[in-house]
Amino acid sequence: MNNRLSNIFHSSESIPREVRTARVANSIAFVILGAIFATWAVRIPAIETLFHLTKTDISIALLGLAVGSILGLIASSALVARYSAKAVVRLAIITYCLLLPVISFSGGLSTLLITLVGFGFGKGLLDVAANTQALHIEQAYPRQIMGGFHALYSAGALLGSLIGALFTSLGLSPQVHFLILAATFLSIGLTASVWLLPPEEDEIEDTNTELALPSREILGFCLIGFCALLIEGIANDWSAVFLKGAAGARPAVAALGFAAFALAMTLGRFAADRAVDMVGPRRFIQLTAAIAALGVIVTLVPIPPVTLFGFGILGFGIGGVAPVNISLVGQADLNRSPESAVAAVSTSSYAGFAAGPVAIGLLADATSLRVAFLPAIGVAAVIATLTFTLPTRGNTASAVSSD
């Protein structure tokens, strides 16, 4: 415990300047990752109207986005290993930002579908490359810092949503909106990326360039990521519906469900790094999984303010699981590159994020929405149990071994 406390108060002066600068630059990459996606998401209704799309058309377009994201996640480890995380972050920012305005000029479903596949591919690349860069930066610190990066992704999503709401209220078209945001974040992102950490001299040549596919070796990490994002996806997509239907809240109150969850999740991620230093990563995941389970239980109380508070507890608990899991897999003693392991865990996590809301909808149709939320408690328990199966090493592992 004394070592952990000394690490918490370790002077930043001992961290090389280039590492601290890279941390700022990579933080900007995480903000862009969240803000650009939120920019697209908040204007989906406008795109639907602009191109005269049906609900089925939108579903097909979103499927293209999901496919592109998965392809980007799978291919990312080989690209990062071949060209370095710094180079792939730059490539991904260019792809991600440039394709945003193209979405608004697509003109129809077929072009929109193709554009969204590319847009999702850029998102997947940036996700893994920024996380890989974060692992390299974290290795120079005596403490956990991954949670801060992921918190800035959430903050970026909130920023993109607020800007989207403002631009929509001002009557700006999606074309103008997307062009402004794309140009702004592209210039900021490329400027900041100059200060990302370069690869070691022989890192690229000696790194295995296998595709990022889950394997038995990292099954525990993949399952934790899947379960954590499954719960997150449920709260993202069903919080407002749950408040209005199962809890009987007024529409204005129901709309606050996602806001409460997202804000609490951001706060939880900012708090995660210091908490990990104090209790260790394995115990941290166990505790936060328990908090998430408590949040689900509280949401089941059919009193709108209590349900709203429950979504806040849920967000605060589940928010730190994914970044700490990524940090652990990056330092695990594996027979594969950290880039490939991170990408595989990210792919599994994305699968959970996509599957959770669908499963809840099917179960709710067969039973009720309140009953459909109950399995999330068991999923949180699975997360806590899986921590006992994780192989670790390095500065994060030292905390695990002393849990």
Side-chain angles (χ1 to χ4, degrees), residues 320-377:
V321 175
V324 174
N325 188 46
I326 289 289
S327 183
L328 281 172
V329 74
Q331 306 222 9
D333 190 9
L334 306 172
N335 295 318
R336 62 191 295 168
S337 68
E339 295 85 359
S340 174
V342 168
V345 171
S346 297
T347 304
S348 301
S349 300
Y350 188 88
F353 190 80
V358 175
I360 286 294
L362 294 174
L363 188 56
D365 283 340
T367 56
S368 69
L369 195 52
R370 184 174 283 108
V371 171
F373 264 56
L374 287 173
I377 301 172

Side-chain angles (χ1 to χ4, degrees), residues 89-114:
V89 165
R90 292 174 64 86
L91 171 65
I93 287 175
I94 292 171
T95 303
Y96 198 33
C97 290
L98 288 184
L99 285 179
L100 177 65
V102 176
I103 292 172
S104 63
F105 290 99
S106 296
L109 177 60
S110 58
T111 309
L112 177 63
L113 179 63
I114 295 171

Side-chain angles (χ1 to χ4, degrees), residues 114-311:
I114 295 171
T115 304
L116 284 176
V117 170
F119 182 71
F121 187 83
K123 181 179 183 293
L125 284 184
L126 185 55
D127 187 318
V128 174
N131 272 296
T132 301
Q133 178 75 192
L135 287 173
H136 294 327
I137 295 168
E138 188 176 58
Q139 288 171 0
Y141 280 77
R143 54 187 172 83
Q144 173 96 19
I145 63 170
M146 184 66 74
F149 287 119
H150 284 242
L152 287 168
Y153 166 81
S154 299
L158 182 60
L159 174 64
S161 300
L162 293 174
I163 293 175
L166 174 63
F167 282 8
T168 300
S169 67
L170 293 175
L172 268 67
S173 67
Q175 289 92 339
V176 174
H177 178 187
F178 288 3
L179 282 169
I180 292 174
L181 269 293
T184 300
F185 284 120
L186 179 61
S187 58
I188 293 173
L190 289 182
T191 300
S193 68
V194 173
W195 289 282
L196 293 172
L197 292 180
E200 299 294 332
E201 291 183 5
D202 57 352
E203 180 180 330
I204 294 177
E205 290 79 358
D206 293 341
T207 303
N208 190 353
T209 58
E210 73 269 28
L211 291 177
L213 298 175
S215 65
R216 183 176 180 180
E217 186 181 28
I218 58 170
L219 181 61
F221 298 108
C222 290
L223 288 176
I224 287 176
F226 179 90
C227 291
L229 271 292
L230 183 146
I231 294 175
E232 184 178 331
I234 290 172
N236 274 338
D237 288 6
W238 286 98
S239 55
V241 176
F242 188 91
L243 271 159
K244 183 179 178 181
R250 298 190 308 272
V253 176
L256 295 175
F258 174 74
F261 174 78
L263 179 59
M265 186 170 65
T266 303
L267 295 176
R269 286 176 168 175
F270 274 123
D273 294 331
R274 291 298 174 90
V276 167
D277 284 327
M278 296 181 69
V279 304
R282 178 189 294 171
R283 191 168 299 161
F284 171 84
I285 293 177
Q286 294 165 355
L287 289 173
T288 51
I291 293 172
L294 174 62
V296 176
I297 293 171
V298 175
T299 63
L300 299 177
V301 178
I303 302 173
V306 177
T307 302
L308 191 64
F309 183 62
F311 278 112

